[in-house]
């Protein structure tokens, strides 16, 4: 469930809008995904069928994100948990304003810590 935030194309956060590759690692492995950030909304998917739905907002020199990650049954998370049933976890994080520069960012999830590299692919 995504919260739609009014169009923010002409704000200081317009440079955040775009397509991003995510490369992430945890104690049990690695994964990758693609997300789109546009007008305060985040949507995306990963290679194992996980989906990302959420919001973002520029706050000071940072970006606050809230994403619901839904993973299908039978998957294994990079944090080590094997899933007998599908699961949704809400992830919140505060990212630096220039998070898409390819530098790792530590994200605490409800299932454990994950290191994420955000790489901006193109503008949205």
């Amino acid at each position: 469930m995504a919260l739609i935030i009014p169009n923010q194309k002409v704000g200081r956060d317009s440079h955040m809008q775009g397509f991003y590759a995510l490369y992430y690692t945890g104690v049990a492995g690695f994964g990758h995904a693609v997300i789109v950030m546009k007008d305060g909304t985040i949507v995306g998917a990963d290679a194992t069928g996980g989906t990302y739905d959420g919001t973002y907002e520029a706050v000071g020199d940072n970006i606050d994100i809230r994403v619901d990650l839904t993973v299908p049954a039978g998957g294994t998370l990079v944090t080590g948990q094997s899933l007998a049933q599908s699961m949704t976890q809400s992830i919140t994080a505060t990212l630096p304003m220039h998070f898409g520069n390819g530098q790792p960012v530590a994200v605490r999830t409800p299932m454990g810590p994950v290191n994420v590299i955000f790489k901006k692919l193109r503008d949205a």
Side-chain angles (χ1 to χ4, degrees):
M1 174 165 69
L3 172 66
I4 305 297
I5 297 177
N7 189 337
Q8 299 174 356
K9 286 183 181 179
V10 292
R12 67 188 182 99
D13 64 342
S14 63
H15 73 280
M16 291 181 282
Q17 297 190 65
F19 291 75
Y20 291 85
L22 278 62
Y23 306 96
Y24 48 89
T25 60
V27 296
F30 63 92
H32 53 276
V34 173
I35 63 169
V36 177
M37 296 177 64
K38 184 160 176 66
D39 299 334
T41 300
I42 300 171
V43 296
D46 67 27
T48 62
T51 59
Y52 301 77
D53 295 286
T55 59
Y56 70 92
E57 179 181 13
V59 178
D61 291 334
N62 297 307
I63 301 158
D64 288 343
I65 65 165
R66 182 191 175 282
V67 175
D68 289 334
L69 167 59
T70 302
V71 181
T76 300
L77 303 176
V78 298
T79 51
Q81 298 81 6
S82 294
L83 305 177
Q85 300 178 3
S86 65
M87 180 191 86
T88 298
Q89 63 175 314
S90 292
I91 301 168
T92 58
T94 299
L95 305 176
M97 189 61 71
H98 298 289
F99 65 95
N101 63 3
Q103 296 299 309
V105 177
V107 176
R108 295 234 172 253
T109 76
M111 304 305 278
V114 176
N115 291 311
V116 184
I117 293 174
F118 295 84
K119 178 77 171 141
K120 189 169 187 180
L121 302 173
R122 64 168 290 173
D123 290 333

